[in-house]
């Protein structure tokens, strides 16, 4: 919340937040596990983790779930003790709250090794190739579900054109990830604001022009500024949230309008 406020009229955020992602994740989880009633949130024990964890806890509570909370240290290297405690609580699934791709993969792997019936649900986008490798193989990563705003497998011409340009610039050594698309669209939005403002030096006019842009044709769909209700100012991008799942070691979009 500190990043955006009326006191920071020049700060705009181009990333999906947990405030936006959590309701979509919860709705999809309810579809996949319609009898689920209990969830354990696992969030890092720091300011970021508390905030993201609370967003997910509120979304689940609003949907009628019993919510239990765990806050491991971000430096945790072994989740067996935590998962043993969670297993005794017998939740329907575990909601990972942006603990990091490596940590999320380890949590998922160790939960399966301990025989937990609860599925692990992700709270943020990941690099699926890194996740599968960090989890120790596709059998451990199978079924992991998480929110995304960039479908790298989309056949949309705008997406394919972006990927083509990205690979032409960086080659195959760099995977195409959500931040790449977000910064690309953010740069396009900024140039559109400069053109609309008719100046490159008057920051007030440029920020006003940027804030006023609506339904901008982004790579993955229309982009609009939101955030007034949460931050007091419309400077949080509203992207089209989708839900993906790891299936046979690959990222597959399972919900396009969750």
């Amino acid at each position: 919340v500190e990043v955006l406020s009326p006191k920071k009229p020049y700060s705009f955020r181009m990333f999906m937040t947990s405030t936006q992602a959590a309701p979509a994740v919860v709705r999809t989880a309810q579809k996949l596990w319609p009898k689920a009633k209990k969830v354990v949130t696992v969030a890092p024990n720091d300011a970021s983790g508390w905030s993201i964890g609370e967003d997910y806890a509120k979304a689940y509570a609003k949907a009628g779930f019993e919510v239990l909370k765990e806050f491991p240290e971000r430096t945790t290297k072994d989740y067996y003790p935590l998962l043993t405690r969670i297993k005794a609580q017998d939740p329907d699934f575990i909601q990972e709250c942006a603990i990091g791709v490596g940590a999320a993969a380890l949590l998922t792997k160790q939960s399966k090794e301990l025989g937990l019936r609860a599925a692990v649900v992700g709270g943020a986008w990941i690099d699926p190739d890194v996740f599968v490798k960090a989890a120790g193989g596709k059998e451990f990563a199978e079924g992991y579900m998480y929110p995304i705003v960039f479908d790298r497998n989309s056949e949309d011409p705008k997406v394919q054109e972006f990927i083509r340009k990205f690979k032409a610039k960086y080659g195959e050594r760099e995977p195409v990830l959500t931040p790449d698309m977000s910064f690309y669209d953010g740069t396009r939005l900024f140039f559109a604001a400069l053109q609309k403002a008719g100046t490159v030096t008057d920051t007030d006019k440029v920020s006003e022009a940027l804030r006023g842009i609506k339904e901008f044709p982004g790579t993955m769909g229309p982009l609009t500024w939101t955030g007034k209700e949460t931050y007091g100012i419309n400077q949080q991008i509203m992207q089209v949230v989708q839900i993906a799942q790891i299936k046979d070691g690959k990222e597959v979009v399972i919900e396009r309008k969750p």
Side-chain angles (χ1 to χ4, degrees):
V1 174
E2 296 81 5
V3 176
L4 302 179
S5 81
K7 295 180 180 180
K8 299 178 179 179
Y10 309 132
S11 296
F12 293 76
R13 182 159 50 199
M14 278 300 300
F15 289 111
M16 164 187 68
T17 67
S18 51
T19 304
Q20 297 168 310
V25 170
V26 172
R27 286 193 295 270
T28 304
Q30 287 180 300
K31 288 182 181 180
L32 292 181
W33 300 282
K35 295 182 179 180
K37 297 297 181 183
K38 184 190 292 188
V39 60
V40 176
T41 61
V42 177
N45 188 27
D46 54 34
S48 175
W50 303 331
S51 176
I52 295 172
E54 187 61 20
D55 283 339
Y56 275 96
K58 285 181 178 179
Y60 278 109
K62 186 176 181 179
F65 281 80
E66 177 186 354
V67 182
L68 306 175
K69 303 175 183 179
E70 293 285 352
F71 294 97
E73 298 301 321
R74 198 176 285 277
T75 54
T76 299
K77 301 298 183 183
D78 180 4
Y79 287 100
Y80 283 131
L82 171 68
L83 288 166
T84 299
R85 183 165 64 249
I86 289 176
K87 187 176 183 179
Q89 297 169 328
D90 194 31
D92 295 296
F93 45 84
I94 300 166
Q95 176 64 59
E96 173 271 312
C97 300
I99 61 178
V101 61
L106 179 62
L107 181 74
T108 303
K109 176 178 185 288
Q110 292 186 336
S111 71
K112 291 186 176 182
E113 289 176 334
L114 282 175
L116 272 74
R117 70 176 184 86
V120 179
V121 178
W125 65 270
I126 59 168
D127 180 335
D129 296 331
V130 171
F131 183 89
V132 171
K133 183 177 180 180
K138 61 183 182 181
E139 66 273 19
F140 290 112
E142 184 70 17
Y144 183 78
M145 187 188 87
Y146 51 98
I148 64 171
V149 293
F150 176 58
D151 177 9
R152 73 201 69 221
N153 300 312
S154 172
E155 295 181 359
D156 187 307
K158 296 194 299 295
V159 175
Q160 291 304 312
E161 176 67 7
F162 169 70
I163 292 175
R164 184 191 67 76
K165 289 180 178 179
F166 185 93
K167 290 187 174 180
K169 175 72 173 179
Y170 300 105
E172 296 294 334
R173 72 183 186 279
E174 289 289 338
V176 185
L177 302 174
T178 286
D180 303 314
M181 182 275 295
S182 294
F183 283 129
Y184 175 72
D185 279 346
T187 302
R188 293 173 60 233
L189 264 168
F190 180 63
F191 282 128
L194 290 175
Q195 187 175 32
K196 183 179 179 182
T199 177
V200 296
T201 58
D202 190 327
T203 52
D204 289 326
K205 285 186 177 180
V206 173
S207 63
E208 183 179 354
L210 182 57
R211 198 178 306 111
I213 295 176
K214 297 179 175 62
E215 298 299 312
F216 184 82
T219 305
M220 285 299 298
L223 301 173
T224 296
W225 296 109
T226 185
K228 180 75 172 180
E229 184 177 336
T230 305
Y231 309 107
I233 194 167
N234 284 330
Q235 293 183 183
Q236 166 64 52
I237 203 66
M238 173 59 77
Q239 295 170 300
V240 180
V241 180
Q242 302 177 75
I243 304 297
Q245 193 170 35
I246 300 295
K247 294 187 177 183
D248 195 28
K250 302 295 182 182
E251 179 178 273
V252 177
V253 174
I254 59 173
E255 285 287 340
R256 297 194 180 277
K257 293 183 179 180

